Amino acid sequence: MENVHAVEFVGITKRFGSVVANNNVNLYLDKGVVMSLLGENGSGKTTLMNMLAGIYYPDEGHLLIDGKLASIKSPKDAFAYKIGMIHQHFKLVDVFTAAENIVLGLDEEGKLDRKSINKKVAEIAKKYGFDIDPNKKVYEMSVSEKQTVEIIKVLYRGADILILDEPTAVLTPQETKKLFDVIRAMRNDNKSIIIITHKLNEVKEISDVVAIMRKGEHIATVRTSEVSEQQMTEMMVGRTVELNINRTEPKNIKPRLTLANITVRDSEGLKKLDDVGFVAYGGEILGIAGIAGSGQKELLETIAGLRRPESGSIIYTPDGEKPSELVGKTPMEIKNAGVALAFVPEDRLGMGLVGGMGMTDNMLLRYWNKKKGIVVDKSESKQLAENIYKELEVVTPSIDYPVRKLSGGNVQKVLVGREIASSPSVLMSAYAVRGLDINTSYTIYDLMSKQKEMGTAVIFVGEDLDVLLALADRIMVMCDGKISGIVDARTATKEEIGRMMTSLDNEGGR
């Protein structure tokens, strides 16, 4: 008898205008198997999963679920085929409880039976090892608790096929371990699980097989135990690549930014930074770790002049000049003082780039105030756009193609490339490699290291602790708006940092 696969893509092709996102993809996943889906930005992996989840519909080819032809034209159709997708950015209603979010949208007759719902949620939690309070409001939850609600939501609907998009992006090592235990329990219950991720060490740890995508095509599916991280990367890229972070010893380090007693509140009066103080040195990379929402964003925005602290001091010390106070200065005044901000938020197009413009005009925005006269000379901006296009391998029809039409990863490349090209004395970067493939990520790490070697003070906010431990010289850990410790990245462990991310009992540092 022929083996019946849980999911099978047969000759799947998907086009967006002249762009072929998926080309004749043939791929299958069996029951009780965890598959990692790998590929560079623009390789077509997300488009492929969106067709399985009912967000897109293939132009050619067809899907088989449990060996039978399936027509999935909407997320509702996907649920009918017992398929659930857990997106990286959660789709929950903050003011609702976990249980209310789990049943939201279901066609349940009569009055909402909270007791029955809580009982079923408890049964699912016990079966797979979740830790959840059905009556807890979403706005009171940690990131991992919100993710738990999203996963239970699809299991509650009877999902046998689960798609997880970057599931560990904002989790601590301890939370990641719990999630992997849950995934193994679901696999043992004959669930089929697809994980979209860029973290190769986690691919090796959790997946049974790895499917490789390259330029819209399925290159190979291999058993995880039979392939190395280097081999996976080379299959993704199509050539030999170096996966080494070259961390040199800091030389001639000098205090560049000195923060003391910085306290910041939001518009509602809630403390976002509480008596924060540290020194960022020229010639080193200071990594910042912390659970999402611990104050990282507010810290960079305060240094950049986008937020005004209610108390505290930020002293900038340039080479050969007198120190100056940054608190009270506008972003333009801070920029003119020699501090440049490379801030890469989740809303890349909203804050960093103008979506309707191409790369050239977006480069011009960085230097507009330096231009004199009525006629704008774009030659310098065009050359910078060309350099970023080549060095970061931006996938775009041309450097004048609107950036809003590019994939998220390629938008990220344009923004990061532009900011690094400004050669600042202080380079601040928030989640610079979020959404980037492994090859481009290592290019960014190399650029950060080169800035450090040029004497720049690099402040690198990151999510991947393995990367922070390999790239940074020191790691400052934030928890609930405070600094819970500063450690030597060469001797610290992930477990130590993970504990500090959830506790303020380890205060210290220099």
Side-chain angles (χ1 to χ4, degrees):
M1 182 178 175
E2 187 177 350
N3 183 35
V4 176
H5 306 300
V7 179
E8 188 170 3
F9 298 86
V10 182
I12 294 291
T13 295
K14 180 63 181 177
R15 303 180 186 88
F16 296 97
S18 61
V19 177
V20 181
N22 290 128
N23 182 32
N24 192 31
V25 174
N26 294 282
L27 173 66
Y28 68 82
L29 172 65
D30 286 324
K31 297 177 180 179
V33 172
V34 177
M35 170 190 282
S36 288
L37 189 61
L38 292 180
E40 289 190 282
N41 298 119
S43 64
K45 57 187 185 296
T46 301
T47 300
L48 191 67
M49 290 301 101
N50 281 338
M51 283 186 278
L52 183 59
I55 298 170
Y56 297 145
Y57 193 77
D59 297 320
E60 297 173 20
H62 55 271
L63 284 164
L64 299 177
I65 305 297
D66 291 333
K68 298 177 182 178
L69 188 64
S71 178
I72 306 175
K73 297 182 178 180
S74 69
K76 187 175 181 180
D77 289 342
F79 276 128
Y81 285 102
K82 298 185 176 182
I83 300 166
M85 185 167 183
I86 295 90
H87 298 271
Q88 183 178 351
H89 304 297
F90 307 136
K91 302 178 183 299
L92 301 171
V93 180
D94 280 355
V95 296
F96 285 6
T97 66
E100 288 168 343
N101 272 280
I102 287 166
V103 300
L104 189 63
L106 288 178
D107 296 325
E108 296 197 356
E109 297 180 359
K111 188 177 179 180
L112 194 65
D113 187 349
R114 296 179 184 275
K115 187 175 181 181
S116 176
I117 294 168
N118 288 356
K119 182 180 178 182
K120 186 174 179 180
V121 169
E123 289 172 354
I124 294 172
K126 182 179 180 180
K127 184 174 185 179
Y128 298 111
F130 291 107
D131 184 12
I132 185 172
D133 177 1
N135 297 310
K136 192 172 185 178
K137 301 279 189 179
V138 168
Y139 66 80
E140 299 175 323
M141 295 181 182
S142 66
V143 174
S144 64
E145 287 176 314
K146 292 177 183 178
Q147 185 181 66
T148 295
V149 174
E150 288 281 23
I151 297 174
I152 292 180
K153 190 198 311 185
V154 299
L155 291 173
Y156 191 96
R157 287 158 168 76
D160 288 328
I161 301 164
L162 291 89
I163 308 162
L164 283 73
D165 186 8
E166 299 285 356
T168 66
V170 291
L171 301 184
T172 67
Q174 290 83 354
E175 289 168 339
T176 297
K177 183 179 182 300
K178 287 182 181 179
L179 174 64
F180 284 0
D181 288 340
V182 167
I183 290 174
R184 293 185 185 100
M186 291 192 293
R187 177 184 59 189
N188 294 339
D189 194 38
N190 221 29
K191 304 289 185 187
S192 302
I193 302 164
I194 303 173
I195 300 175
I196 303 173
T197 183
H198 293 298
K199 298 181 180 180
L200 299 186
N201 59 322
E202 293 181 357
V203 169
K204 293 289 289 181
E205 182 178 349
I206 192 60
S207 64
D208 303 302
V209 297
V210 183
I212 309 291
M213 299 286 295
R214 185 169 75 233
K215 295 181 179 178
E217 298 183 351
H218 173 228
I219 300 303
T221 298
V222 294
R223 294 196 64 80
T224 311
S225 59
E226 297 173 358
V227 65
S228 67
E229 292 184 18
Q230 184 70 39
Q231 289 170 321
M232 286 189 282
T233 303
E234 291 175 5
M235 282 192 283
M236 281 193 289
V237 178
R239 65 178 186 275
T240 301
V241 294
E242 292 293 329
L243 293 181
N244 294 315
I245 295 178
N246 182 28
R247 178 173 57 191
T248 57
E249 288 289 336
K251 296 179 180 177
N252 302 318
I253 65 169
K254 304 172 183 176
R256 190 71 73 202
L257 278 182
T258 304
L259 280 74
N261 310 117
I262 292 293
T263 296
V264 172
R265 296 181 188 270
D266 64 13
S267 58
E268 297 178 354
L270 298 176
K271 275 189 182 180
K272 292 298 181 178
L273 295 175
D274 187 359
D275 196 32
V276 168
F278 66 93
V279 179
Y281 294 89
E284 74 157 14
I285 296 178
L286 175 65
I288 298 182
I291 296 171
S294 294
Q296 306 96 312
K297 177 176 180 286
E298 290 80 8
L299 175 61
L300 297 196
E301 289 180 350
T302 301
I303 295 173
L306 297 172
R307 289 176 183 264
R308 192 179 185 108
E310 69 173 37
S311 63
S313 172
I314 303 174
I315 301 297
Y316 169 64
T317 307
D319 287 331
E321 298 180 30
K322 292 182 179 180
S324 60
E325 173 65 68
L326 298 188
V327 170
K329 284 186 168 66
T330 66
M332 187 58 69
E333 289 170 339
I334 291 175
K335 179 182 176 181
N336 293 336
V339 183
L341 171 66
F343 184 53
V344 189
E346 289 184 16
D347 186 11
R348 302 158 189 166
L349 294 176
M351 290 186 68
L353 302 170
V354 177
M357 290 182 177
M359 290 179 62
T360 300
D361 287 339
N362 271 291
M363 298 304 117
L364 186 64
L365 292 176
R366 196 73 172 79
Y367 309 103
W368 68 269
N369 63 314
K370 295 181 180 179
K371 305 295 181 183
K372 305 296 183 182
I374 299 174
V375 180
V376 177
D377 180 6
K378 293 188 178 181
S379 58
E380 183 181 345
S381 300
K382 185 175 181 180
Q383 185 59 55
L384 177 56
E386 290 281 5
N387 292 343
I388 293 172
Y389 169 75
K390 293 174 183 177
E391 292 175 14
L392 297 185
E393 298 179 348
V394 178
V395 179
T396 178
S398 77
I399 59 172
D400 294 317
Y401 189 73
V403 295
R404 63 178 168 79
K405 295 184 178 181
L406 305 182
S407 70
N410 284 299
V411 171
Q412 191 94 320
K413 293 179 186 180
V414 175
L415 180 54
V416 173
R418 184 189 70 183
E419 296 299 323
I420 289 177
S422 65
S423 300
S425 56
V426 177
L427 175 61
M428 299 188 292
S429 169
Y431 311 115
V433 299
R434 177 181 284 173
L436 294 186
D437 58 71
I438 191 72
N439 186 41
T440 307
S441 295
Y442 276 82
T443 300
I444 299 296
Y445 304 148
D446 185 53
L447 290 171
M448 295 287 176
S449 295
K450 287 179 179 177
Q451 288 292 310
K452 158 192 161 181
E453 290 168 8
M454 292 168 62
T456 302
V458 180
I459 301 176
F460 186 89
V461 178
E463 297 167 327
D464 190 328
L465 294 187
D466 289 299
V467 168
L468 284 176
L469 288 167
L471 177 68
D473 298 294
R474 294 182 298 143
I475 297 175
M476 183 173 83
V477 186
M478 298 192 69
C479 177
D480 196 24
K482 297 181 180 181
I483 297 175
S484 56
I486 300 178
V487 298
D488 186 336
R490 290 168 174 77
T491 58
T493 65
K494 280 202 301 183
E495 290 70 26
E496 176 187 0
I497 294 173
R499 287 191 296 270
M500 293 168 69
M501 287 166 68
T502 56
S503 172
L504 289 170
D505 295 336
N506 302 287
E507 296 190 30
R510 65 180 172 95

XYZ file of all heavy atoms in Angstrom, residues 39-78:
293
model
N 15.301 28.671 4.080
C 15.528 29.346 2.815
C 15.894 30.793 3.055
O 15.567 31.373 4.089
N 16.593 31.385 2.092
C 16.939 32.804 2.194
C 15.683 33.654 2.085
O 14.605 33.176 1.708
C 17.907 33.176 1.064
C 19.304 32.611 1.227
C 20.266 33.221 0.222
O 20.244 32.818 -0.940
O 21.033 34.126 0.614
N 15.812 34.943 2.384
C 14.700 35.870 2.176
C 14.322 35.867 0.702
O 15.178 35.948 -0.171
C 15.097 37.285 2.596
C 15.443 37.358 4.064
O 16.556 37.700 4.427
N 14.506 37.047 4.929
N 13.024 35.745 0.439
C 12.566 35.712 -0.943
C 12.656 34.355 -1.586
O 12.437 34.219 -2.799
N 12.960 33.310 -0.803
C 13.078 31.959 -1.369
C 11.719 31.301 -1.593
O 11.629 30.263 -2.246
C 13.928 31.070 -0.455
O 13.292 30.903 0.807
N 10.650 31.881 -1.029
C 9.306 31.359 -1.270
C 8.724 30.508 -0.167
O 7.609 30.000 -0.293
N 9.434 30.386 0.956
C 8.944 29.494 2.010
C 7.668 30.022 2.675
O 6.733 29.252 2.932
C 10.033 29.232 3.058
C 10.613 30.462 3.719
C 11.791 30.093 4.609
C 12.298 31.314 5.365
N 12.838 32.349 4.454
N 7.609 31.333 2.942
C 6.412 31.897 3.568
C 5.227 31.853 2.615
O 4.098 31.556 3.028
C 6.676 33.347 4.030
O 7.772 33.340 4.962
C 5.451 33.928 4.703
N 5.467 32.144 1.336
C 4.394 32.056 0.332
C 3.833 30.646 0.277
O 2.606 30.442 0.230
C 4.922 32.457 -1.058
O 5.399 33.802 -1.012
C 3.822 32.351 -2.110
N 4.702 29.653 0.323
C 4.268 28.257 0.276
C 3.395 27.915 1.473
O 2.333 27.292 1.336
C 5.500 27.340 0.235
C 5.244 25.866 -0.076
C 4.745 25.691 -1.512
C 6.513 25.049 0.146
N 3.810 28.356 2.658
C 3.030 28.074 3.859
C 1.710 28.851 3.869
O 0.700 28.369 4.386
C 3.851 28.410 5.108
C 5.020 27.463 5.353
S 4.503 25.728 5.551
C 4.879 25.077 3.909
N 1.721 30.047 3.296
C 0.480 30.822 3.220
C -0.551 30.147 2.326
O -1.759 30.320 2.531
C 0.776 32.236 2.718
C 1.329 33.144 3.804
O 1.124 32.894 4.997
N 2.027 34.193 3.407
N -0.104 29.375 1.356
C -1.051 28.614 0.535
C -1.638 27.454 1.320
O -2.819 27.139 1.196
C -0.367 28.137 -0.751
C -0.212 29.251 -1.784
S 0.425 28.699 -3.370
C 2.181 28.661 -3.030
N -0.834 26.842 2.160
C -1.344 25.767 3.009
C -2.314 26.319 4.049
O -3.287 25.659 4.428
C -0.170 25.058 3.702
C -0.502 23.854 4.587
C -1.219 22.765 3.803
C 0.773 23.299 5.231
N -2.076 27.562 4.490
C -2.921 28.176 5.510
C -4.136 28.890 4.920
O -4.943 29.450 5.663
C -2.097 29.165 6.337
N -4.261 28.902 3.596
C -5.439 29.490 2.963
C -5.368 30.981 2.722
O -6.377 31.601 2.384
N -4.190 31.569 2.889
C -4.034 33.006 2.665
C -3.840 33.302 1.180
O -4.341 34.299 0.657
C -2.873 33.559 3.510
C -3.189 33.357 5.008
C -2.613 35.030 3.222
C -2.038 33.640 5.932
N -3.092 32.437 0.485
C -2.944 32.511 -0.964
C -3.499 31.232 -1.590
O -3.693 30.220 -0.897
C -1.465 32.651 -1.380
C -0.778 33.902 -0.912
C 0.567 33.878 -0.548
C -1.446 35.120 -0.850
C 1.229 35.026 -0.120
C -0.802 36.272 -0.422
C 0.531 36.211 -0.056
O 1.174 37.346 0.366
N -3.697 31.290 -2.905
C -4.153 30.112 -3.639
C -3.205 29.889 -4.813
O -2.835 30.839 -5.500
C -5.582 30.323 -4.156
C -6.235 29.047 -4.650
C -6.735 28.111 -3.749
C -6.342 28.789 -6.010
C -7.331 26.933 -4.195
C -6.931 27.613 -6.473
C -7.427 26.698 -5.557
O -8.012 25.527 -5.992
N -2.758 28.661 -5.047
C -1.770 28.408 -6.106
C -2.302 28.705 -7.502
O -3.482 28.492 -7.782
C -1.428 26.927 -5.935
C -2.588 26.341 -5.207
C -3.102 27.419 -4.322
N -1.416 29.189 -8.378
C -1.773 29.404 -9.786
C -1.735 28.089 -10.556
O -2.502 27.887 -11.500
C -0.803 30.410 -10.425
C -0.892 31.781 -9.781
O -2.021 32.212 -9.472
O 0.160 32.414 -9.578
N -0.835 27.224 -10.140
C -0.723 25.907 -10.770
C -0.441 24.864 -9.694
O 0.088 25.182 -8.630
C 0.410 25.890 -11.806
C 0.214 26.825 -12.978
C 1.433 26.899 -13.872
O 2.267 25.971 -13.813
O 1.561 27.885 -14.632
N -0.774 23.612 -9.979
C -0.536 22.536 -9.031
C -1.677 22.375 -8.042
O -2.693 23.077 -8.106
N -1.507 21.444 -7.098
C -2.564 21.190 -6.128
C -1.992 20.659 -4.816
O -0.816 20.249 -4.743
C -3.596 20.205 -6.674
C -3.002 18.910 -7.141
N -2.545 18.710 -8.423
C -2.796 17.730 -6.489
C -2.077 17.479 -8.549
N -2.213 16.867 -7.393
N -2.833 20.691 -3.799
C -2.480 20.206 -2.464
C -3.235 18.924 -2.163
O -4.413 18.790 -2.511
C -2.829 21.256 -1.404
C -1.912 22.468 -1.256
C -2.614 23.556 -0.461
C -0.618 22.078 -0.570
N -2.555 18.000 -1.484
C -3.191 16.789 -0.986
C -3.099 16.776 0.532
O -2.022 17.012 1.097
C -2.503 15.532 -1.549
C -2.507 15.339 -3.074
C -1.716 14.094 -3.431
C -3.929 15.228 -3.601
N -4.210 16.552 1.204
C -4.241 16.391 2.653
C -4.712 14.976 2.942
O -5.793 14.570 2.508
C -5.191 17.411 3.324
C -4.812 18.847 2.926
C -5.162 17.242 4.842
C -3.447 19.296 3.375
N -3.868 14.215 3.649
C -4.156 12.799 3.916
C -4.455 12.036 2.626
O -5.327 11.166 2.570
C -5.334 12.660 4.891
C -4.982 13.140 6.289
O -3.789 13.093 6.642
O -5.884 13.594 7.010
N -3.726 12.397 1.565
C -3.838 11.684 0.300
C -4.998 12.102 -0.577
O -5.155 11.579 -1.682
N -5.799 13.074 -0.116
C -6.976 13.496 -0.885
C -6.813 14.938 -1.363
O -6.258 15.778 -0.658
C -8.237 13.373 -0.031
C -8.527 11.939 0.415
C -9.764 11.886 1.320
C -10.040 10.460 1.800
N -11.202 10.412 2.724
N -7.318 15.198 -2.567
C -7.230 16.528 -3.150
C -7.928 17.548 -2.251
O -9.056 17.338 -1.811
C -7.884 16.531 -4.535
C -7.719 17.813 -5.367
C -6.254 18.050 -5.695
C -8.553 17.714 -6.640
N -7.236 18.670 -1.961
C -7.781 19.695 -1.067
C -7.824 21.038 -1.766
O -6.884 21.412 -2.476
C -6.927 19.798 0.196
N -8.923 21.759 -1.575
C -9.069 23.112 -2.098
C -9.130 24.067 -0.908
O -10.134 24.133 -0.200
C -10.343 23.235 -2.947
O -10.497 24.559 -3.414
N -8.023 24.784 -0.681
C -7.914 25.669 0.481
C -7.857 27.104 -0.008
O -6.812 27.594 -0.439
C -6.674 25.315 1.326
C -6.691 23.830 1.712
C -6.607 26.186 2.570
C -5.455 23.366 2.442
N -8.985 27.791 0.062
C -9.084 29.151 -0.459
C -9.190 30.214 0.632
O -9.262 31.402 0.330
C -10.290 29.249 -1.391
C -10.174 28.357 -2.626
C -11.380 28.537 -3.551
C -11.242 27.677 -4.803
N -12.397 27.835 -5.715
N -9.211 29.784 1.889
C -9.315 30.727 2.999
C -8.812 30.051 4.268
O -8.734 28.819 4.333
C -10.774 31.165 3.199
O -11.541 30.072 3.689
N -8.464 30.836 5.299
C -8.083 30.238 6.583
C -9.186 29.343 7.149
O -8.894 28.344 7.817
C -7.827 31.457 7.474
C -7.389 32.521 6.521
C -8.230 32.300 5.294
N -10.444 29.687 6.880
C -11.557 28.851 7.341
C -11.505 27.479 6.678
O -11.727 26.446 7.322
C -12.889 29.537 7.040
C -14.094 28.818 7.627
C -15.378 29.605 7.391
C -16.577 28.880 8.000
N -17.843 29.635 7.780
N -11.173 27.443 5.372
C -10.999 26.168 4.680
C -9.856 25.372 5.313
O -9.939 24.150 5.473
C -10.692 26.401 3.202
C -11.887 26.917 2.416
O -13.027 26.784 2.914
O -11.684 27.455 1.316
N -8.777 26.078 5.656
C -7.619 25.409 6.257
C -8.008 24.738 7.568
O -7.611 23.596 7.835
C -6.491 26.414 6.486
